[in-house]
Amino acid sequence: MFAELDAKIEEGMKAYAIPGAAVGVLWNGQEYVKGYGITNVDHPVPVDGDTVFRVGSTTKTFTGTTLMRLVERGEVELDAPVRRYLPDFSVADPYASAQVTVRQLLNHSAGWLGDDYQDFGPGDDALARFVASMARLPQLTDPGEVFAYNNAALCVAGRIIEVVMGTTYEAAVRKLVIDPLGLDHSRFSSDEIVGFNVAASHDVVDGKAVLEPSFWTQPRSLAPTGGLISSVRDQLSWARFHLGDGTAPDGTRLLSRSSLEQMRSKPGPGGTLVVELDGMGVTWMLRPTAQGPRIVQHGGTWPGQISGFLMVPRRGFALTLLTNSEGGTRLRDELFTDDWALSRFAGVTNLPATPKVLTSEELAPYEGRYIAQRINDKGAVEDTVIELHRHNGQLKGTQTTQKQITDPGVAFYRKDFGLDLDDEGRPVGTRSDFVRGPDGKVAWWRNHGRLHRHQTH
């Protein structure tokens, strides 16, 4: 089994220009940790199980776990309004500002524009300044109603940790989670990894990996949503903790078993985030399978640092992958989105999805322009515009972003749910869906978890 996995990873690294990768597996009580390739094409050093990468959004599960420790201590309530802890909290919508709860931050149903990447410098006040700046963020849906991936909401959760603990977010997570678990290769600051074996970030240019040092930098204000630097060995320890009884390796109890289970149950609103979701628990993606056992998942995407992380608790299975190239997205999809690893190691598969050919009348409600927004590190608003139209029983589109024009498509497999297609009309392995408004009409396209507002012609 592990030899097959090695071959799959090595084949993907070659095909997708990934210089270095590391994998960790828990399976049938066995642990498997392995590094592949090199950290840096210009200064090659072998990757091993202790090489550190940016894990991106898997950081959110560290934020959620830290908050659960505060919940158990009676210092935070998941269903309390955010303003109990941050009295001045505000987004553009007064109702949402007053009503949004801590749980809604963590299950991505807060409802405001979530892709806010502003940089407020390296100081200890970066997160406080970021959260104060959110007063301009527009509300897309009412709190608790619709799933939409929300990076900014996790920054609010991190700020609650700071206020309750009376220290910086990073120091609080170190104290409550990272240090008690002995995660010695998990840190938030580049200053703290001097001497570690670091996987450098790479772009892919003309099919080849090219070192791109500028990719590594990340604003401190985004630490709670994606700032952790970690090794695959530490990520596997993280999986073991979440599949365990809540105790650290030395026997210290960090969480009750029921708190761990609560994190991966009680899903909020469902939809798609590359895969189909029952919804999000406390920062965990809760993903259905055809066989019944639920997949508990995350992963992260930062330029040149692509990672995956999933567990099937009823099977005692966990898989984590770290890569140091933009090409890592393709390999991650093959191992974490498709059935290849899940079927072999855990005996589960995705919900079936057979693309259908729809009539022109059936496709008509979905046609039109779809617009999503993000705020860049300088605070400027950027639009992504996608035009979807009927084509051979499916939807075909033209997408315009700041950098490029692509031609995505959608092949429906059930009402409002589709398989994503590439420029040539082939399924790429990911899924998206359409969200209807109170009037029953298509209001949004949810693609990669982001809501794109529908504008009909």
Side-chain angles (χ1 to χ4, degrees):
M1 294 287 280
F2 295 132
E4 279 188 35
L5 180 63
D6 288 345
K8 178 82 170 172
I9 291 171
E10 287 165 356
E11 179 186 346
M13 290 171 68
K14 189 175 180 182
Y16 309 133
I18 305 168
V23 76
V25 186
L26 285 176
W27 180 61
N28 284 352
Q30 302 175 68
E31 287 193 17
Y32 185 70
V33 173
K34 186 164 183 180
Y36 310 82
I38 54 174
T39 60
N40 183 323
V41 293
D42 289 355
H43 304 282
V45 175
V47 172
D48 61 23
D50 296 315
T51 300
V52 295
F53 299 72
R54 284 202 177 280
V55 303
S57 286
T58 302
T59 306
K60 293 177 172 69
T61 67
F62 284 74
T63 303
T65 304
T66 303
L67 265 171
M68 286 303 289
R69 290 215 65 194
L70 298 178
V71 169
E72 281 207 351
R73 286 162 38 160
E75 297 177 56
V76 174
E77 268 185 64
L78 287 177
D79 294 310
V82 167
R83 279 188 174 168
R84 179 182 297 179
Y85 311 102
L86 306 177
D88 298 328
F89 174 72
S90 182
V91 286
D93 183 80
Y95 174 83
S97 304
Q99 297 296 319
V100 69
T101 66
V102 177
R103 189 187 299 275
Q104 289 162 355
L105 300 176
L106 302 172
N107 70 17
H108 297 264
S109 66
W112 54 72
L113 178 65
D115 281 332
D116 184 349
Y117 299 107
Q118 290 182 86
D119 185 349
F120 287 93
D124 286 354
D125 63 347
L127 190 52
R129 293 172 61 201
F130 177 95
V131 172
S133 81
M134 289 174 57
R136 68 171 174 152
L137 290 185
Q139 199 69 19
L140 307 183
T141 58
D142 285 342
E145 294 297 315
V146 176
F147 163 72
Y149 197 70
N150 198 314
N151 284 297
L154 266 292
C155 292
V156 180
R159 179 62 185 150
I160 291 173
I161 291 170
E162 287 192 335
V163 170
V164 171
M165 289 289 290
T167 185
T168 65
Y169 164 82
E170 298 92 342
V173 179
R174 281 282 304 264
K175 181 178 181 180
L176 293 181
V177 174
I178 289 173
D179 289 349
L181 288 176
L183 304 181
D184 295 332
H185 286 76
S186 296
R187 299 290 183 262
F188 283 97
S189 167
S190 295
D191 294 343
E192 296 176 302
I193 59 170
V194 174
F196 288 9
N197 195 27
V198 181
S201 306
H202 296 81
D203 201 355
V204 178
V205 180
D206 297 329
K208 292 183 178 170
V210 177
L211 183 69
E212 186 45 78
S214 69
F215 281 179
W216 178 264
T217 309
Q218 185 176 92
R220 187 173 179 187
S221 44
L222 303 183
T225 199
L228 190 68
I229 301 161
S230 186
S231 69
V232 81
R233 197 183 308 280
D234 277 6
Q235 291 293 291
L236 201 57
S237 296
W238 188 235
R240 195 166 55 245
F241 171 71
H242 273 276
L243 292 174
D245 64 357
T247 57
D250 66 0
T252 304
R253 177 160 296 284
L254 300 186
L255 282 176
S256 65
R257 188 189 290 270
S258 65
S259 284
L260 287 174
E261 290 172 353
Q262 186 182 164
M263 287 187 71
R264 56 180 191 257
S265 55
K266 299 184 180 176
T272 59
L273 178 57
V274 178
V275 294
E276 278 194 63
L277 298 183
D278 293 326
M280 301 282 289
V282 175
T283 62
W284 286 117
M285 297 163 55
L286 305 178
R287 174 180 168 191
T289 66
Q291 294 74 20
R294 184 175 269 160
I295 300 165
V296 179
Q297 186 165 351
H298 221 289
T301 300
W302 189 253
Q305 302 271 322
I306 313 295
S307 65
F309 186 108
L310 65 73
M311 306 179 290
V312 186
R314 280 171 55 184
R315 298 286 195 262
F317 169 64
L319 175 68
T320 179
L321 175 78
L322 305 175
T323 73
N324 65 351
S325 167
E326 285 288 271
T329 303
R330 301 277 297 277
L331 179 58
R332 180 182 60 188
D333 280 346
E334 290 183 2
L335 289 174
F336 291 82
T337 304
D338 294 346
D339 293 332
W340 188 93
L342 288 167
S343 59
R344 280 169 172 75
F345 288 97
V348 296
T349 58
N350 278 294
L351 298 179
T354 304
K356 299 176 179 178
V357 174
L358 300 191
T359 66
S360 188
E361 291 73 22
E362 289 171 321
L363 290 169
Y366 302 100
E367 276 197 315
R369 171 178 289 184
Y370 292 84
I371 300 176
Q373 291 187 318
R374 71 191 292 272
I375 297 174
N376 68 18
D377 60 344
K378 304 290 194 299
V381 178
E382 298 175 345
D383 289 343
T384 296
V385 180
I386 302 171
E387 297 270 359
L388 292 176
H389 58 270
R390 293 167 273 189
H391 180 75
N392 293 337
Q394 299 169 342
L395 293 175
K396 189 168 177 60
T398 301
Q399 174 173 326
T400 307
T401 63
Q402 303 298 310
K403 297 179 182 176
Q404 58 185 354
I405 297 175
T406 56
D407 297 303
V410 180
F412 288 92
Y413 60 90
R414 64 182 170 91
K415 184 180 178 181
D416 294 342
F417 282 75
L419 299 175
D420 298 326
L421 308 177
D422 66 11
D423 293 2
E424 304 297 319
R426 298 168 300 208
V428 295
T430 60
R431 306 183 184 194
S432 58
D433 68 309
F434 293 84
V435 180
R436 293 177 181 268
D439 59 0
K441 294 180 180 176
V442 174
W444 310 91
W445 180 34
R446 182 164 37 209
N447 181 254
H448 289 264
R450 276 69 174 184
L451 292 179
H452 296 63
R453 189 185 296 275
H454 188 204
Q455 297 180 336
T456 53
H457 295 303

